[in-house]
Amino acid sequence: MTSTPSSLSPSPGPLAPLILASKSPARTKLLAEAGIPHRIVVSAVDENAITAQHPEASPAEIALLLARSKAEAVASLPEADGALVLGCDSVFEFDGHALGKPYTPDVAVERLRAMSGRAGVLHTGHWLVDCRDGVVSSEGELASAGVEFTEMADDEIAAYVATGEPLHCAGSFTIDGLGGAFLARVDGDPHTVVGLSVSTLRLLLSRAKVRITDFWAPAVVR
């Protein structure tokens, strides 16, 4: 989805802190590298249960639904008062199916063999809940990127799975780690494949009348 942030007036007073409703090291690293100070508060959302409650949802809809569930769960906590809460979740769409984390080596091996030399789409849902001034509002946006894989030999797949890296990654692969060796092409924002599109976050912040550049100031509230 493509949109242009609306014209913004300067943010009044101190900038609200940003809370990331995710324990993903890749997402917090992306935010840090983008100059965005934040806190981490992990939600207790059961991803499998929510997905099971929406059997007709598309992979893209699941990604946005999970992102919203995580953001709103954390936004309901006392520590979110006065903050901006960002929830993200990624789902890999392959052959029309939604692939989340494989969790077990056998599932990861099976998936990677099927994906060898082929392509799919990585969907990352973003949901921002604004808890400032005692008024809660929320906005969501989906970012998607096509991912094409190289041909992978069985021994390469076995070696990759043995590292443990793909077991807790949507689709059983990463772009910013060892799995990057098996990606031939990414069509779209590479940050989407990592799990958080900074340009999409900029769009959501703009809707809340916050400039992403304000986070770069030395006096940001942490």
Side-chain angles (χ1 to χ4, degrees):
M1 299 178 72
T2 57
S3 302
T4 302
S6 57
S7 177
L8 300 174
S9 57
S11 300
L15 187 63
L18 180 73
I19 294 176
L20 176 64
S22 170
K23 62 182 178 181
S24 164
R27 292 190 179 109
T28 197
K29 181 181 178 183
L30 270 178
L31 287 177
E33 291 176 343
I36 304 175
H38 60 283
R39 291 187 287 132
I40 296 172
V41 179
V42 181
S43 76
V45 166
D46 185 332
E47 297 180 21
N48 292 330
I50 291 176
T51 300
Q53 291 168 7
H54 299 83
E56 303 303 317
S58 68
E61 290 169 338
I62 291 172
L64 199 56
L65 175 66
L66 291 174
R68 179 174 188 171
S69 297
K70 292 177 179 180
E72 292 184 344
V74 170
S76 68
L77 301 176
E79 54 261 50
D81 185 42
L84 296 163
V85 180
L86 174 66
C88 295
D89 200 89
S90 298
V91 174
F92 186 60
E93 181 176 356
F94 184 72
D95 280 347
H97 299 290
L99 303 183
K101 304 175 182 69
Y103 295 115
T104 67
D106 288 347
V107 173
V109 167
E110 181 182 2
R111 287 183 181 179
L112 290 166
R113 283 176 175 168
M115 295 187 300
S116 177
R118 300 181 63 196
V121 180
L122 196 292
H123 303 288
T124 294
H126 304 69
W127 205 274
L128 187 71
V129 181
D130 185 350
C131 302
R132 296 173 296 176
D133 304 321
V135 178
V136 176
S137 61
S138 62
E139 290 271 359
E141 194 77 17
L142 182 74
S144 302
V147 179
E148 181 181 334
F149 298 91
T150 61
E151 295 282 353
M152 293 177 273
D154 283 350
D155 60 340
E156 291 179 310
I157 291 173
Y160 180 43
V161 172
T163 69
E165 181 183 87
L167 302 186
H168 300 282
C169 301
S172 312
F173 69 94
T174 65
I175 187 176
D176 58 331
L178 303 175
F182 305 118
L183 301 189
R185 174 186 172 87
V186 172
D187 184 11
D189 180 357
H191 286 170
T192 297
V193 185
V194 178
L196 194 165
S197 165
V198 179
S199 61
T200 300
L201 172 59
R202 172 176 171 261
L203 172 62
L204 290 175
L205 288 171
S206 75
R207 292 175 182 169
K209 303 301 180 184
V210 175
R211 297 179 187 273
I212 198 168
T213 53
D214 291 339
F215 285 94
W216 302 343
V220 166
V221 175
R222 296 176 185 265

